[in-house]
Amino acid sequence: SFGHIVAGIALIYSTYWLRAVRWAVFVSPTKKVTAASLLGPQFIGFTGVALFGRLADLTRPYLVARRIGLTLSSQVAVYTIERMFDLGAAALVFSSALAFTPRGLPNHHIFVRTGMLSLAATAAIAIFAGIVRVAGGAVASFARSTLGRLSQPLGESFATKILGFRDGLNALSSLKDFALVTLLSLAMWGIIGAAYQIGRAHV
């Protein structure tokens, strides 16, 4: 169905616009930019990924850095946080789909149980992220002292990663920005799921 092909492409392309809006929110504490100025790097970056694989994934932060005049390292950090929100939103959509599987499907109870466990894990990760954003230094010190009893390099490594995670989360300067980015991420992955559903229903 040509109409469904067009609809699927339109849905996927709309997610690039949402990605540009989300990236603009991420960089807003450093520099105010428009989503339109970031749309080109999204298209070019994902085209590179389609042609050359995930090795081309850093094309987007490089192009964004060139476009808006910020350092590449700062945009790689934004890319990392973007991926964290992608993972969380995709996990929430996936878990919800499993948890509310229609009763008529075989092994319904297994789908529901898996979905509930996945939702619980996603919620636990979200709570941990909130704690790290508020008290990242204390969490890093706890990890350093606890894991340091087993191995000092291991404790230092975990503490460094927690602090880096906190610094990335601090890119969102307010609760409003955090909520906006969360809603954009959920909307984007909902649209991606809808695009797949359109294709699946007519295969």
Side-chain angles (χ1 to χ4, degrees):
S1 171
F2 181 75
H4 287 97
I5 292 174
V6 172
I9 293 174
L11 287 172
I12 292 298
Y13 276 26
S14 69
T15 65
Y16 296 158
W17 172 257
L18 292 179
R19 286 186 180 276
V21 174
R22 187 175 62 173
W23 203 298
V25 176
F26 281 131
V27 301
S28 61
T30 305
K31 189 171 186 178
K32 300 296 183 183
V33 297
T34 63
S37 67
L38 302 178
L39 188 58
Q42 306 302 319
F43 275 100
I44 296 171
F46 279 104
T47 301
V49 171
L51 293 174
F52 305 110
R54 283 297 170 185
L55 290 176
D57 224 6
L58 293 181
T59 303
R60 285 190 300 133
Y62 170 76
L63 292 174
V64 170
R66 291 284 301 272
R67 175 67 62 86
I68 64 178
L70 294 177
T71 64
L72 176 59
S73 60
S74 69
Q75 299 315 294
V76 170
V78 168
Y79 166 81
T80 303
I81 300 302
E82 179 199 53
R83 283 309 183 194
M84 287 166 41
F85 276 91
D86 279 345
L87 178 62
L92 187 59
V93 172
F94 170 75
S95 303
S96 300
L98 288 178
F100 297 99
T101 300
R103 291 186 176 276
L105 286 181
N107 302 312
H108 170 263
H109 64 287
I110 295 177
F111 284 110
V112 172
R113 187 181 308 162
T114 304
M116 290 299 185
L117 289 174
S118 183
L119 279 173
T122 304
I125 293 172
I127 292 170
F128 175 74
I131 293 173
V132 169
R133 191 181 191 283
V134 174
V139 176
S141 297
F142 177 78
R144 183 184 291 112
S145 61
T146 303
L147 297 176
R149 297 173 185 173
L150 300 175
S151 168
Q152 187 172 355
L154 179 64
E156 287 294 334
S157 176
F158 267 83
T160 301
K161 287 180 172 60
I162 290 171
L163 292 175
F165 183 43
R166 179 203 60 185
D167 293 342
L169 290 174
N170 285 338
L172 298 171
S173 58
S174 67
L175 185 61
K176 179 182 176 182
D177 286 347
F178 183 86
L180 177 57
V181 166
T182 300
L183 289 175
L184 287 170
S185 301
L186 290 172
M188 183 170 57
W189 282 95
I191 290 172
I192 291 171
Y196 276 102
Q197 180 66 15
I198 287 174
R200 187 195 67 82
H202 296 276
V203 170

